Amino acid sequence: MKKKSKVLCMVLGIVAALLLTAGYLLYVSFNGSVIVKVLLTGKVERYVAEQYPELPLKVQKAGYDFKVMGYYCYVYSPESQDTSFTVWKNGRELEDDYSHRVLEKENTVIRLMQEADTYTEQVIGEMLPYRTALVLCDNGNSSQEEKRDYITLDQPFDPTDYPFDCNLTIWVETQREHPDWQELAGMLREVKQIAAGHLPFVKTYSITILEKFVEVDGEYRSDNLASEVCVAEVPGEIIKGEELEAYLEGERAAAEAEKQAIAAGVYEKEKLQEIRSAAADN
């Protein structure tokens, strides 16, 4: 009897050890090894001191990205909001993205974009007397790379000296059952007037007017897709000129042609663009 009890205890001990080992391996696979993190943090501190001795840098405790199964440290300067980068372990060597994030001003560009977006949303919210959603200020910075040469590290956001040209996107709730293109023309002029005085960096306008929008799972959607009237990337020069109505008539014809094509079973993006262009030209 005692022999059986000993065997049972041994089996239970082995099973418990296997379960603990499996649990630890599962934890490490998602969170990384605590020991490796401690060792890496110290290694990164020495690496940063050697590579960037002139910078007052701080190293956060190492983290683990289970998606790439790699360890990394976030490095930043308490004296510069745009001086931050990541150091990661690549095999036995350490690598970092200081050049891209700091020297190429990626951090500064991203921050300025965010501040421009926040400022734009605030101005539209205060000055446009309608319920709005999806207020976005997109600078399409990938096509304006050369303007990075005029940006300085930690450059403050200044709406009168913003380096990028932007497209302003707004959804506007009109509370009208069937908003039309004439109403859209009026909305474009109203938004353009606000931008002229407060958002000089906005150069094109993408506006959707609709009867009502609802929030579903944190996203805004039209309450009635049939009530939407929209236009994309209208140049500011057209809005303030006399040709706006003619331009919108072309957009209306293009939208109607696209709608008919989709109803007929045409879904290819390039084909739909051809149909839109042909209808707008006519």
PDB file of all heavy atoms in Angstrom, residues 221-253:
ATOM      1  N   ARG A 221     -21.662  55.758 -38.725  1.00  0.00           N
ATOM      2  CA  ARG A 221     -22.191  55.258 -39.983  1.00  0.00           C
ATOM      3  C   ARG A 221     -23.439  56.051 -40.348  1.00  0.00           C
ATOM      4  O   ARG A 221     -24.105  56.622 -39.498  1.00  0.00           O
ATOM      5  CB  ARG A 221     -22.545  53.768 -39.879  1.00  0.00           C
ATOM      6  CG  ARG A 221     -21.372  52.874 -39.500  1.00  0.00           C
ATOM      7  CD  ARG A 221     -21.802  51.424 -39.356  1.00  0.00           C
ATOM      8  NE  ARG A 221     -20.702  50.581 -38.912  1.00  0.00           N
ATOM      9  CZ  ARG A 221     -20.823  49.285 -38.646  1.00  0.00           C
ATOM     10  NH1 ARG A 221     -22.015  48.696 -38.784  1.00  0.00           N
ATOM     11  NH2 ARG A 221     -19.780  48.589 -38.247  1.00  0.00           N
ATOM     12  N   SER A 222     -23.743  56.050 -41.640  1.00  0.00           N
ATOM     13  CA  SER A 222     -24.938  56.743 -42.094  1.00  0.00           C
ATOM     14  C   SER A 222     -26.174  55.986 -41.657  1.00  0.00           C
ATOM     15  O   SER A 222     -26.219  54.748 -41.715  1.00  0.00           O
ATOM     16  CB  SER A 222     -24.909  56.868 -43.625  1.00  0.00           C
ATOM     17  OG  SER A 222     -26.129  57.409 -44.087  1.00  0.00           O
ATOM     18  N   ASP A 223     -27.176  56.720 -41.206  1.00  0.00           N
ATOM     19  CA  ASP A 223     -28.442  56.096 -40.836  1.00  0.00           C
ATOM     20  C   ASP A 223     -29.228  55.683 -42.070  1.00  0.00           C
ATOM     21  O   ASP A 223     -30.099  54.825 -42.013  1.00  0.00           O
ATOM     22  CB  ASP A 223     -29.272  57.068 -39.984  1.00  0.00           C
ATOM     23  CG  ASP A 223     -30.458  56.385 -39.329  1.00  0.00           C
ATOM     24  OD1 ASP A 223     -30.284  55.263 -38.834  1.00  0.00           O
ATOM     25  OD2 ASP A 223     -31.558  56.972 -39.338  1.00  0.00           O
ATOM     26  N   ASN A 224     -28.892  56.301 -43.202  1.00  0.00           N
ATOM     27  CA  ASN A 224     -29.585  56.004 -44.456  1.00  0.00           C
ATOM     28  C   ASN A 224     -28.624  56.297 -45.609  1.00  0.00           C
ATOM     29  O   ASN A 224     -28.405  57.448 -45.970  1.00  0.00           O
ATOM     30  CB  ASN A 224     -30.853  56.852 -44.577  1.00  0.00           C
ATOM     31  CG  ASN A 224     -31.592  56.597 -45.888  1.00  0.00           C
ATOM     32  OD1 ASN A 224     -31.259  55.680 -46.633  1.00  0.00           O
ATOM     33  ND2 ASN A 224     -32.591  57.429 -46.171  1.00  0.00           N
ATOM     34  N   LEU A 225     -28.007  55.250 -46.164  1.00  0.00           N
ATOM     35  CA  LEU A 225     -27.016  55.436 -47.209  1.00  0.00           C
ATOM     36  C   LEU A 225     -27.573  56.198 -48.407  1.00  0.00           C
ATOM     37  O   LEU A 225     -26.859  56.939 -49.083  1.00  0.00           O
ATOM     38  CB  LEU A 225     -26.477  54.073 -47.670  1.00  0.00           C
ATOM     39  CG  LEU A 225     -25.600  53.317 -46.658  1.00  0.00           C
ATOM     40  CD1 LEU A 225     -25.238  51.945 -47.203  1.00  0.00           C
ATOM     41  CD2 LEU A 225     -24.348  54.110 -46.350  1.00  0.00           C
ATOM     42  N   ALA A 226     -28.862  56.033 -48.678  1.00  0.00           N
ATOM     43  CA  ALA A 226     -29.465  56.705 -49.824  1.00  0.00           C
ATOM     44  C   ALA A 226     -29.515  58.214 -49.649  1.00  0.00           C
ATOM     45  O   ALA A 226     -29.682  58.964 -50.613  1.00  0.00           O
ATOM     46  CB  ALA A 226     -30.875  56.165 -50.071  1.00  0.00           C
ATOM     47  N   SER A 227     -29.354  58.675 -48.388  1.00  0.00           N
ATOM     48  CA  SER A 227     -29.443  60.113 -48.140  1.00  0.00           C
ATOM     49  C   SER A 227     -28.092  60.811 -48.242  1.00  0.00           C
ATOM     50  O   SER A 227     -28.016  62.030 -48.118  1.00  0.00           O
ATOM     51  CB  SER A 227     -30.023  60.365 -46.744  1.00  0.00           C
ATOM     52  OG  SER A 227     -29.054  60.075 -45.736  1.00  0.00           O
ATOM     53  N   GLU A 228     -27.023  60.059 -48.485  1.00  0.00           N
ATOM     54  CA  GLU A 228     -25.687  60.654 -48.534  1.00  0.00           C
ATOM     55  C   GLU A 228     -25.439  61.402 -49.839  1.00  0.00           C
ATOM     56  O   GLU A 228     -25.795  60.936 -50.911  1.00  0.00           O
ATOM     57  CB  GLU A 228     -24.617  59.573 -48.387  1.00  0.00           C
ATOM     58  CG  GLU A 228     -24.492  58.995 -47.006  1.00  0.00           C
ATOM     59  CD  GLU A 228     -23.291  58.069 -46.897  1.00  0.00           C
ATOM     60  OE1 GLU A 228     -22.461  58.060 -47.824  1.00  0.00           O
ATOM     61  OE2 GLU A 228     -23.197  57.354 -45.886  1.00  0.00           O
ATOM     62  N   VAL A 229     -24.802  62.560 -49.713  1.00  0.00           N
ATOM     63  CA  VAL A 229     -24.287  63.284 -50.864  1.00  0.00           C
ATOM     64  C   VAL A 229     -22.854  63.656 -50.503  1.00  0.00           C
ATOM     65  O   VAL A 229     -22.617  64.275 -49.472  1.00  0.00           O
ATOM     66  CB  VAL A 229     -25.099  64.554 -51.178  1.00  0.00           C
ATOM     67  CG1 VAL A 229     -24.540  65.244 -52.415  1.00  0.00           C
ATOM     68  CG2 VAL A 229     -26.574  64.210 -51.377  1.00  0.00           C
ATOM     69  N   CYS A 230     -21.905  63.255 -51.331  1.00  0.00           N
ATOM     70  CA  CYS A 230     -20.515  63.469 -50.948  1.00  0.00           C
ATOM     71  C   CYS A 230     -19.651  63.835 -52.145  1.00  0.00           C
ATOM     72  O   CYS A 230     -20.000  63.568 -53.301  1.00  0.00           O
ATOM     73  CB  CYS A 230     -19.949  62.230 -50.267  1.00  0.00           C
ATOM     74  SG  CYS A 230     -19.953  60.760 -51.297  1.00  0.00           S
ATOM     75  N   VAL A 231     -18.532  64.454 -51.842  1.00  0.00           N
ATOM     76  CA  VAL A 231     -17.549  64.833 -52.847  1.00  0.00           C
ATOM     77  C   VAL A 231     -16.176  64.740 -52.203  1.00  0.00           C
ATOM     78  O   VAL A 231     -16.031  64.934 -50.993  1.00  0.00           O
ATOM     79  CB  VAL A 231     -17.820  66.252 -53.380  1.00  0.00           C
ATOM     80  CG1 VAL A 231     -17.537  67.294 -52.319  1.00  0.00           C
ATOM     81  CG2 VAL A 231     -17.077  66.530 -54.659  1.00  0.00           C
ATOM     82  N   ALA A 232     -15.158  64.414 -52.993  1.00  0.00           N
ATOM     83  CA  ALA A 232     -13.833  64.191 -52.438  1.00  0.00           C
ATOM     84  C   ALA A 232     -12.786  65.099 -53.063  1.00  0.00           C
ATOM     85  O   ALA A 232     -12.774  65.298 -54.283  1.00  0.00           O
ATOM     86  CB  ALA A 232     -13.420  62.729 -52.631  1.00  0.00           C
ATOM     87  N   GLU A 233     -11.939  65.652 -52.205  1.00  0.00           N
ATOM     88  CA  GLU A 233     -10.755  66.413 -52.605  1.00  0.00           C
ATOM     89  C   GLU A 233     -11.064  67.519 -53.621  1.00  0.00           C
ATOM     90  O   GLU A 233     -10.448  67.626 -54.672  1.00  0.00           O
ATOM     91  CB  GLU A 233      -9.679  65.466 -53.152  1.00  0.00           C
ATOM     92  CG  GLU A 233      -9.204  64.467 -52.112  1.00  0.00           C
ATOM     93  CD  GLU A 233      -8.067  63.589 -52.599  1.00  0.00           C
ATOM     94  OE1 GLU A 233      -7.665  63.722 -53.766  1.00  0.00           O
ATOM     95  OE2 GLU A 233      -7.574  62.760 -51.805  1.00  0.00           O
ATOM     96  N   VAL A 234     -12.033  68.368 -53.261  1.00  0.00           N
ATOM     97  CA  VAL A 234     -12.356  69.523 -54.095  1.00  0.00           C
ATOM     98  C   VAL A 234     -11.335  70.626 -53.804  1.00  0.00           C
ATOM     99  O   VAL A 234     -11.182  71.042 -52.653  1.00  0.00           O
ATOM    100  CB  VAL A 234     -13.773  70.051 -53.791  1.00  0.00           C
ATOM    101  CG1 VAL A 234     -14.105  71.224 -54.704  1.00  0.00           C
ATOM    102  CG2 VAL A 234     -14.788  68.940 -53.947  1.00  0.00           C
ATOM    103  N   PRO A 235     -10.624  71.128 -54.804  1.00  0.00           N
ATOM    104  CA  PRO A 235      -9.646  72.195 -54.564  1.00  0.00           C
ATOM    105  C   PRO A 235     -10.316  73.465 -54.043  1.00  0.00           C
ATOM    106  O   PRO A 235     -11.413  73.821 -54.471  1.00  0.00           O
ATOM    107  CB  PRO A 235      -9.030  72.429 -55.950  1.00  0.00           C
ATOM    108  CG  PRO A 235      -9.282  71.157 -56.704  1.00  0.00           C
ATOM    109  CD  PRO A 235     -10.604  70.652 -56.193  1.00  0.00           C
ATOM    110  N   GLY A 236      -9.644  74.123 -53.100  1.00  0.00           N
ATOM    111  CA  GLY A 236     -10.200  75.342 -52.520  1.00  0.00           C
ATOM    112  C   GLY A 236     -10.453  76.419 -53.559  1.00  0.00           C
ATOM    113  O   GLY A 236     -11.402  77.205 -53.435  1.00  0.00           O
ATOM    114  N   GLU A 237      -9.634  76.477 -54.608  1.00  0.00           N
ATOM    115  CA  GLU A 237      -9.805  77.497 -55.650  1.00  0.00           C
ATOM    116  C   GLU A 237     -11.139  77.347 -56.358  1.00  0.00           C
ATOM    117  O   GLU A 237     -11.770  78.328 -56.747  1.00  0.00           O
ATOM    118  CB  GLU A 237      -8.665  77.408 -56.671  1.00  0.00           C
ATOM    119  CG  GLU A 237      -7.295  77.777 -56.132  1.00  0.00           C
ATOM    120  CD  GLU A 237      -6.683  76.673 -55.284  1.00  0.00           C
ATOM    121  OE1 GLU A 237      -7.225  75.551 -55.302  1.00  0.00           O
ATOM    122  OE2 GLU A 237      -5.683  76.954 -54.595  1.00  0.00           O
ATOM    123  N   ILE A 238     -11.593  76.101 -56.533  1.00  0.00           N
ATOM    124  CA  ILE A 238     -12.883  75.866 -57.189  1.00  0.00           C
ATOM    125  C   ILE A 238     -14.032  76.292 -56.286  1.00  0.00           C
ATOM    126  O   ILE A 238     -15.023  76.863 -56.746  1.00  0.00           O
ATOM    127  CB  ILE A 238     -13.019  74.377 -57.578  1.00  0.00           C
ATOM    128  CG1 ILE A 238     -12.053  74.065 -58.725  1.00  0.00           C
ATOM    129  CG2 ILE A 238     -14.447  74.039 -57.974  1.00  0.00           C
ATOM    130  CD1 ILE A 238     -12.088  72.628 -59.182  1.00  0.00           C
ATOM    131  N   ILE A 239     -13.895  76.040 -54.982  1.00  0.00           N
ATOM    132  CA  ILE A 239     -14.977  76.365 -54.055  1.00  0.00           C
ATOM    133  C   ILE A 239     -15.249  77.865 -54.021  1.00  0.00           C
ATOM    134  O   ILE A 239     -16.398  78.304 -53.997  1.00  0.00           O
ATOM    135  CB  ILE A 239     -14.650  75.848 -52.640  1.00  0.00           C
ATOM    136  CG1 ILE A 239     -14.556  74.324 -52.657  1.00  0.00           C
ATOM    137  CG2 ILE A 239     -15.711  76.295 -51.632  1.00  0.00           C
ATOM    138  CD1 ILE A 239     -14.124  73.723 -51.339  1.00  0.00           C
ATOM    139  N   LYS A 240     -14.205  78.663 -54.023  1.00  0.00           N
ATOM    140  CA  LYS A 240     -14.400  80.102 -53.928  1.00  0.00           C
ATOM    141  C   LYS A 240     -14.688  80.745 -55.278  1.00  0.00           C
ATOM    142  O   LYS A 240     -14.976  81.937 -55.351  1.00  0.00           O
ATOM    143  CB  LYS A 240     -13.166  80.766 -53.300  1.00  0.00           C
ATOM    144  CG  LYS A 240     -11.897  80.698 -54.137  1.00  0.00           C
ATOM    145  CD  LYS A 240     -10.739  81.358 -53.406  1.00  0.00           C
ATOM    146  CE  LYS A 240      -9.460  81.336 -54.245  1.00  0.00           C
ATOM    147  NZ  LYS A 240      -8.320  81.960 -53.527  1.00  0.00           N
ATOM    148  N   GLY A 241     -14.616  79.964 -56.341  1.00  0.00           N
ATOM    149  CA  GLY A 241     -14.874  80.499 -57.677  1.00  0.00           C
ATOM    150  C   GLY A 241     -16.307  80.267 -58.125  1.00  0.00           C
ATOM    151  O   GLY A 241     -17.132  79.693 -57.417  1.00  0.00           O
ATOM    152  N   GLU A 242     -16.600  80.693 -59.338  1.00  0.00           N
ATOM    153  CA  GLU A 242     -17.956  80.577 -59.882  1.00  0.00           C
ATOM    154  C   GLU A 242     -18.222  79.218 -60.517  1.00  0.00           C
ATOM    155  O   GLU A 242     -19.366  78.914 -60.866  1.00  0.00           O
ATOM    156  CB  GLU A 242     -18.188  81.678 -60.924  1.00  0.00           C
ATOM    157  CG  GLU A 242     -18.103  83.090 -60.357  1.00  0.00           C
ATOM    158  CD  GLU A 242     -18.321  84.141 -61.422  1.00  0.00           C
ATOM    159  OE1 GLU A 242     -18.480  83.761 -62.599  1.00  0.00           O
ATOM    160  OE2 GLU A 242     -18.350  85.339 -61.067  1.00  0.00           O
ATOM    161  N   GLU A 243     -17.173  78.406 -60.676  1.00  0.00           N
ATOM    162  CA  GLU A 243     -17.344  77.127 -61.371  1.00  0.00           C
ATOM    163  C   GLU A 243     -17.718  75.983 -60.442  1.00  0.00           C
ATOM    164  O   GLU A 243     -17.743  74.824 -60.866  1.00  0.00           O
ATOM    165  CB  GLU A 243     -16.058  76.779 -62.131  1.00  0.00           C
ATOM    166  CG  GLU A 243     -14.853  76.514 -61.255  1.00  0.00           C
ATOM    167  CD  GLU A 243     -14.011  77.751 -60.981  1.00  0.00           C
ATOM    168  OE1 GLU A 243     -14.569  78.860 -60.940  1.00  0.00           O
ATOM    169  OE2 GLU A 243     -12.794  77.607 -60.799  1.00  0.00           O
ATOM    170  N   LEU A 244     -18.012  76.249 -59.156  1.00  0.00           N
ATOM    171  CA  LEU A 244     -18.302  75.175 -58.216  1.00  0.00           C
ATOM    172  C   LEU A 244     -19.514  74.357 -58.651  1.00  0.00           C
ATOM    173  O   LEU A 244     -19.489  73.125 -58.626  1.00  0.00           O
ATOM    174  CB  LEU A 244     -18.531  75.740 -56.815  1.00  0.00           C
ATOM    175  CG  LEU A 244     -18.902  74.691 -55.744  1.00  0.00           C
ATOM    176  CD1 LEU A 244     -17.811  73.644 -55.614  1.00  0.00           C
ATOM    177  CD2 LEU A 244     -19.158  75.374 -54.405  1.00  0.00           C
ATOM    178  N   GLU A 245     -20.607  75.036 -59.053  1.00  0.00           N
ATOM    179  CA  GLU A 245     -21.817  74.306 -59.431  1.00  0.00           C
ATOM    180  C   GLU A 245     -21.558  73.373 -60.609  1.00  0.00           C
ATOM    181  O   GLU A 245     -22.026  72.228 -60.646  1.00  0.00           O
ATOM    182  CB  GLU A 245     -22.949  75.281 -59.768  1.00  0.00           C
ATOM    183  CG  GLU A 245     -23.720  75.810 -58.561  1.00  0.00           C
ATOM    184  CD  GLU A 245     -22.907  76.775 -57.713  1.00  0.00           C
ATOM    185  OE1 GLU A 245     -21.895  77.302 -58.216  1.00  0.00           O
ATOM    186  OE2 GLU A 245     -23.282  76.998 -56.545  1.00  0.00           O
ATOM    187  N   ALA A 246     -20.803  73.851 -61.607  1.00  0.00           N
ATOM    188  CA  ALA A 246     -20.485  73.017 -62.765  1.00  0.00           C
ATOM    189  C   ALA A 246     -19.622  71.824 -62.339  1.00  0.00           C
ATOM    190  O   ALA A 246     -19.808  70.696 -62.826  1.00  0.00           O
ATOM    191  CB  ALA A 246     -19.763  73.849 -63.824  1.00  0.00           C
ATOM    192  N   TYR A 247     -18.694  72.062 -61.437  1.00  0.00           N
ATOM    193  CA  TYR A 247     -17.836  70.986 -60.946  1.00  0.00           C
ATOM    194  C   TYR A 247     -18.672  69.931 -60.220  1.00  0.00           C
ATOM    195  O   TYR A 247     -18.505  68.723 -60.442  1.00  0.00           O
ATOM    196  CB  TYR A 247     -16.788  71.564 -60.004  1.00  0.00           C
ATOM    197  CG  TYR A 247     -15.840  70.548 -59.415  1.00  0.00           C
ATOM    198  CD1 TYR A 247     -14.657  70.226 -60.056  1.00  0.00           C
ATOM    199  CD2 TYR A 247     -16.138  69.919 -58.203  1.00  0.00           C
ATOM    200  CE1 TYR A 247     -13.778  69.295 -59.509  1.00  0.00           C
ATOM    201  CE2 TYR A 247     -15.275  68.990 -57.655  1.00  0.00           C
ATOM    202  CZ  TYR A 247     -14.098  68.684 -58.307  1.00  0.00           C
ATOM    203  OH  TYR A 247     -13.243  67.747 -57.755  1.00  0.00           O
ATOM    204  N   LEU A 248     -19.588  70.373 -59.366  1.00  0.00           N
ATOM    205  CA  LEU A 248     -20.424  69.435 -58.622  1.00  0.00           C
ATOM    206  C   LEU A 248     -21.397  68.700 -59.529  1.00  0.00           C
ATOM    207  O   LEU A 248     -21.747  67.545 -59.257  1.00  0.00           O
ATOM    208  CB  LEU A 248     -21.185  70.180 -57.519  1.00  0.00           C
ATOM    209  CG  LEU A 248     -20.333  70.711 -56.361  1.00  0.00           C
ATOM    210  CD1 LEU A 248     -21.213  71.402 -55.334  1.00  0.00           C
ATOM    211  CD2 LEU A 248     -19.542  69.590 -55.705  1.00  0.00           C
ATOM    212  N   GLU A 249     -21.829  69.333 -60.604  1.00  0.00           N
ATOM    213  CA  GLU A 249     -22.700  68.648 -61.554  1.00  0.00           C
ATOM    214  C   GLU A 249     -21.960  67.474 -62.184  1.00  0.00           C
ATOM    215  O   GLU A 249     -22.525  66.396 -62.374  1.00  0.00           O
ATOM    216  CB  GLU A 249     -23.168  69.622 -62.641  1.00  0.00           C
ATOM    217  CG  GLU A 249     -24.029  68.980 -63.731  1.00  0.00           C
ATOM    218  CD  GLU A 249     -25.269  68.282 -63.186  1.00  0.00           C
ATOM    219  OE1 GLU A 249     -25.793  68.708 -62.132  1.00  0.00           O
ATOM    220  OE2 GLU A 249     -25.714  67.301 -63.821  1.00  0.00           O
ATOM    221  N   GLY A 250     -20.683  67.691 -62.503  1.00  0.00           N
ATOM    222  CA  GLY A 250     -19.880  66.596 -63.018  1.00  0.00           C
ATOM    223  C   GLY A 250     -19.713  65.486 -61.996  1.00  0.00           C
ATOM    224  O   GLY A 250     -19.772  64.303 -62.328  1.00  0.00           O
ATOM    225  N   GLU A 251     -19.509  65.859 -60.722  1.00  0.00           N
ATOM    226  CA  GLU A 251     -19.379  64.867 -59.657  1.00  0.00           C
ATOM    227  C   GLU A 251     -20.684  64.108 -59.447  1.00  0.00           C
ATOM    228  O   GLU A 251     -20.689  62.902 -59.198  1.00  0.00           O
ATOM    229  CB  GLU A 251     -18.950  65.545 -58.360  1.00  0.00           C
ATOM    230  CG  GLU A 251     -17.521  66.055 -58.361  1.00  0.00           C
ATOM    231  CD  GLU A 251     -16.514  64.937 -58.482  1.00  0.00           C
ATOM    232  OE1 GLU A 251     -16.552  64.010 -57.652  1.00  0.00           O
ATOM    233  OE2 GLU A 251     -15.690  64.990 -59.412  1.00  0.00           O
ATOM    234  N   ARG A 252     -21.812  64.835 -59.568  1.00  0.00           N
ATOM    235  CA  ARG A 252     -23.121  64.181 -59.421  1.00  0.00           C
ATOM    236  C   ARG A 252     -23.333  63.153 -60.530  1.00  0.00           C
ATOM    237  O   ARG A 252     -23.782  62.029 -60.272  1.00  0.00           O
ATOM    238  CB  ARG A 252     -24.235  65.235 -59.467  1.00  0.00           C
ATOM    239  CG  ARG A 252     -25.642  64.665 -59.206  1.00  0.00           C
ATOM    240  CD  ARG A 252     -26.719  65.559 -59.779  1.00  0.00           C
ATOM    241  NE  ARG A 252     -26.608  65.648 -61.227  1.00  0.00           N
ATOM    242  CZ  ARG A 252     -26.983  64.666 -62.063  1.00  0.00           C
ATOM    243  NH1 ARG A 252     -27.472  63.533 -61.593  1.00  0.00           N
ATOM    244  NH2 ARG A 252     -26.850  64.818 -63.360  1.00  0.00           N
ATOM    245  N   ALA A 253     -22.998  63.533 -61.760  1.00  0.00           N
ATOM    246  CA  ALA A 253     -23.141  62.611 -62.891  1.00  0.00           C
ATOM    247  C   ALA A 253     -22.225  61.401 -62.713  1.00  0.00           C
ATOM    248  O   ALA A 253     -22.608  60.262 -63.017  1.00  0.00           O
ATOM    249  CB  ALA A 253     -22.816  63.341 -64.191  1.00  0.00           C
TER     250      ALA A 253
END
